[in-house]
Amino acid sequence: MEECCSTKPQKEHSHLEGDGHDHDHSHSHDTGDQSVFQMFFPAIISFIILISGITLDQYIKPDWFAGWVRIFWYGIAYIPVGFPVLKEAYQSIIRRDVFSEFFLMGIATVGAFAIGEYPEGVAVMLFYSVGEVFQAMAVTRAKSNIKSLLDQRPDEVTVLKDGQPQTVKAEKVNIGEIIQLKSGEKLGLDGELLSEKASFNTAALTGESKPDTKIKGEAVLAGMINLNTVSQVKVTTAYKDSKLSKILELVQNATAQKAPTELFIRKFAKVYTPIVVFLAIGITFLPYFFVADYQFRDWLYRALIFLVISCPCALVISIPLGYFGGIGAGSRNGILFKGSNFLDTLAGIQNVVMDKTGTMTEGVFKVQEVDFKPEFDKNEILGLVNALESKSTHPVATAIHHYAGEINHSIPLENVEEVAGHGLKAMINGKELLVGNFKLLDKLNITYDIKPENIVYTLIAVAYDKKFVGCLTIADSIKADAQLAINKLKALNVKTTMLSGDKTSVVKYVADTLGIQNAYGDLLPEDKVNKVQEIKAKNETVAFVGDGVNDAPVVALSDVGIAMGGLGSDATIETADVVIQDDMPGKIPMAINIGKQTKKIVWQNIILAFAVKAVVLVLGAGGLATMWEAVFADVGVALLAILNAVRIQQMRF
C-alpha cells in the first residue's frame, strides 16, 4: 500500500504565556456586557469637566476659579479616568509587577498635578483611557469575529423519541439518538446521515459556501446547514466532542502559542519599563550638577513627558492583535493555525514537501482493471482481498470495497498485519494472503512476471498461498486547484517536493503534470524522513503537507505540519500545526501569504512605535515637547498601530 497509517505523536507545544507585561483588559475594561456608551461614559464626564475648566482658565477667568477650587475642579475631572488606572497600578504592584504601563501613567499624571500642570495631567489620563477603550474594543472585536465564525453550534435540536419530534438542549442529546433536521436548519452534533441523500452548506467549517451532497451512511458534522429536504441524522459524538467544538477550542487556544516576535516584545517591555523609570529620575536630578540655572520644576516636567512617551502599550497590545487578526483571517478562509508562532514560521518557509494521495490528488481511488491469472477464481480472490482490506483505512481499501461490494465477515482472517509502507498480510485457512505493492512481494520472495514500473497507475499486487495471483489497477485524479496551488507557491519562491509511498512512475507523472520541482516515489516512512533531513541539512525551513495521521516522523521533523482534510479526522485536528479544513491545495499558498502579511503588519507597528517614540523622547528630554506631544506619541501611536493591526481582518487572500 502507499502510506501506512501510523499515529502522529503530539508535537511538544509548550503553551507559552507571555511572561512580560500583560496587557489584559479584563480588569479595567471588561467589554463583554458593556455598551459603547457605558465604556466611554467616564471619559465623557472627564472631558466635559476638563473643557469647562480650561474655558474658565483661559477665557472667562473668574476670580473664584483659583487656589483650592481650581485644584478640586481638575481633581474631579481626573477621577473618572484616573482612578481605574491608579487602581490597576496598585494591583500590579501587589502582583509584584511594579513597572507596568499603569504605574508609568500614574506617576506621570500625579507628577503633573504636583507641579501645577492640572489640565495637562487630566488630558494625558483622558486620552490614555480613551485609547485603552479603543484597544479593548479592537481586541473584543477580533475575538468575537473568530467566535462568530466558529461558534456555529445551535443550542437546541429536534430529537425523534418514539417517532415524535421533541426539542431538547443539544448538550443533553445522547450518542445513538436520532435528530430531525428541517430545510435551512443547522446541525447541532456530529452524526451519520440516515436519509438517502441530503445537501449541506459547510461554510461554518470550511469557509466554502459550495453545497456538499452527502449520501446515506456518510458523516455529517455540527455547523452544517441542511439545504433541501427534511433529513434524519443518527448522533455519533457527544456535543462537547463534536468537530466544531474542537475547532472552536483550538482557535481560542491559538493565542497561547506566542510568536517569537510577540515573546520578545513582552520580555523587552519587562526590561524596558524599569530602565525608562530610572532614566526619568536621572532627567529630573542629574542636570542639577551640569546646568547653571537648574529649575527642579522644569526638569521634573521633562521627566514626566519622557514617562508618558515611553509607555510601551502601542507595542504590547498591537502586536498580539496583529497575530490574532492573522489567526482570524485564516479561520475565515477555512485554515486553522494552532498558534501565532506558526504564522511566523510559515511567513519565512522555503520548502513545501507534500504527500501525493489525498493532498494533491483526490484520494478517491477507483479500480480500473482486475488482472488475475486464469487458474484463480476471480470472485473468490476479490472476496478475500475485500475482507483483508476492511482492516485498513487507506483510500485504496475504500476503492476495492466499492468495486468488490459487501464484505464477507465469515472469512476466517488470522494474524492480520500491516507491513509499513508495503501493504497487508493475513492467514486464511492456513494459506497466506498478501495485498499491497510489489515491494511486499519482493520482501517475501514471491516471484511475478510483469514489470510494474512501466505502468503509470497505482498497482495493488495480490499473492495467495505463496503464488502471484495478479494485480488490480487503481487510478486517482489530480485535485482541481492543485495546479494553481503549485503556481502560487512558485510565485512565492517556495520550492516544492513530492514524497510518496506510491510507485515512482505514478509520482513522477503527477509531479510533471503539476510542475513540482522534485518528486520521489516507492518511499517507506524512514525514506521520507531522510529526504526531509537532506533539505533541513541545507539550513532551509520545511512545511510538510499530508493527511495528518500518516507520516508521523516527517511531520514531527518538519517546521510546520499542515494537515489536509481536517474534517475527516479527529486526530488531524489534534496533531497538525495548521489544518486546512476543505482539502484544497490552494489554501497552502494562502496560509503562507496570511503569515507573510501578518508578519509585515507586526513589523510595521514595531518600526512606527519606535520611530515616533524615539523622536518625541529626544524632543521631550530637550524641553522641546509638551505633554500634548507626549500624548500623541503614546495614545496616538497605539491607536494607529491598532488600526493597522485590524487591517488584516479586512484583507482578501
Side-chain angles (χ1 to χ4, degrees), residues 42-59:
I44 293 167
I45 295 293
S46 180
F47 178 73
I48 291 168
I49 300 171
L50 173 65
I51 290 298
S52 59
I54 291 172
T55 305
L56 290 167
D57 249 343
Q58 302 295 326
Y59 302 104

Side-chain angles (χ1 to χ4, degrees), residues 426-550:
M427 299 300 290
I428 301 172
N429 299 324
K431 296 176 182 177
E432 188 178 57
L433 175 67
L434 303 175
V435 182
N437 53 32
F438 280 87
K439 286 185 289 182
L440 179 64
L441 303 195
D442 294 337
K443 186 181 172 94
L444 297 169
N445 300 316
I446 308 283
T447 56
Y448 46 90
D449 54 0
I450 65 169
K451 290 190 172 178
E453 62 276 7
N454 294 339
I455 302 167
V456 188
Y457 284 116
T458 301
L459 293 180
I460 302 302
V462 180
Y464 186 51
D465 196 19
K466 304 290 183 187
K467 298 188 192 94
F468 176 58
V469 173
C471 58
L472 293 89
T473 306
I474 291 180
D476 187 9
S477 53
I478 293 170
K479 287 184 181 174
D481 68 332
Q483 185 66 69
L484 183 66
I486 298 301
N487 294 347
K488 284 185 175 177
L489 286 170
K490 283 182 180 173
L492 290 166
N493 292 321
V494 176
K495 298 172 201 161
T496 52
T497 304
M498 182 180 278
L499 305 179
S500 178
D502 208 346
K503 62 181 196 172
T504 302
S505 57
V506 178
V507 179
K508 290 279 188 196
Y509 170 75
V510 173
D512 291 345
T513 305
L514 295 174
I516 293 168
Q517 286 151 295
N518 306 299
Y520 306 93
D522 290 310
L523 299 178
L524 295 171
E526 55 266 32
D527 299 326
K528 294 183 181 182
V529 168
N530 294 336
K531 292 290 180 191
V532 171
Q533 279 175 333
E534 282 173 26
I535 298 169
K536 293 202 71 155
K538 301 174 194 168
N539 285 327
E540 293 184 6
T541 51
V542 178
F544 179 80
V545 191
D547 65 3
V549 288
N550 288 353

Side-chain angles (χ1 to χ4, degrees), residues 620-649:
L624 299 171
T626 67
M627 279 276 189
W628 301 103
E629 281 90 355
V631 167
F632 172 75
D634 177 44
V635 179
V637 170
L639 289 177
L640 286 174
I642 287 159
L643 289 171
N644 194 35
V646 169
R647 200 162 54 90
I648 195 164
Q649 294 173 49

Side-chain angles (χ1 to χ4, degrees), residues 78 129 255 266 277 328 430 440 454 511 567 599 606 647:
Y78 180 85
S129 99
T255 46
R266 285 181 166 229
V277 172
L440 179 64
N454 294 339
L567 293 183
K599 198 164 185 179
I606 290 170
R647 200 162 54 90

Side-chain angles (χ1 to χ4, degrees), residues 286-358:
L286 287 178
Y288 174 79
F289 301 103
F290 305 104
V291 177
D293 56 344
Y294 172 79
Q295 292 285 328
F296 172 76
R297 187 185 177 284
D298 291 348
W299 287 100
L300 176 60
Y301 183 66
R302 291 183 191 187
L304 296 176
I305 290 168
F306 183 84
L307 280 179
V308 173
I309 299 163
S310 58
C311 186
C313 57
L315 295 170
V316 175
I317 188 64
S318 67
I319 289 166
L321 192 62
Y323 284 114
F324 211 100
I327 291 168
S331 54
R332 207 165 37 249
N333 288 287
I335 304 166
L336 298 182
F337 294 96
K338 287 249 182 130
S340 44
N341 47 337
F342 301 119
L343 279 163
D344 253 19
T345 310
L346 271 179
I349 216 78
Q350 293 159 289
N351 293 272
V352 168
V353 177
M354 63 205 80
D355 189 16
K356 178 181 76 70
T357 309

Side-chain angles (χ1 to χ4, degrees), residues 406-418:
E406 285 298 313
I407 297 161
N408 182 357
H409 293 289
S410 65
I411 293 170
L413 293 171
E414 294 175 349
N415 303 330
V416 177
E417 184 188 337
E418 185 160 355

Side-chain angles (χ1 to χ4, degrees), residues 372-381 464 467-470:
F372 288 169
K373 292 185 178 296
E375 61 262 34
F376 293 96
D377 183 326
K378 178 180 172 182
N379 291 331
E380 182 196 348
I381 297 291
Y464 186 51
K467 298 188 192 94
F468 176 58
V469 173

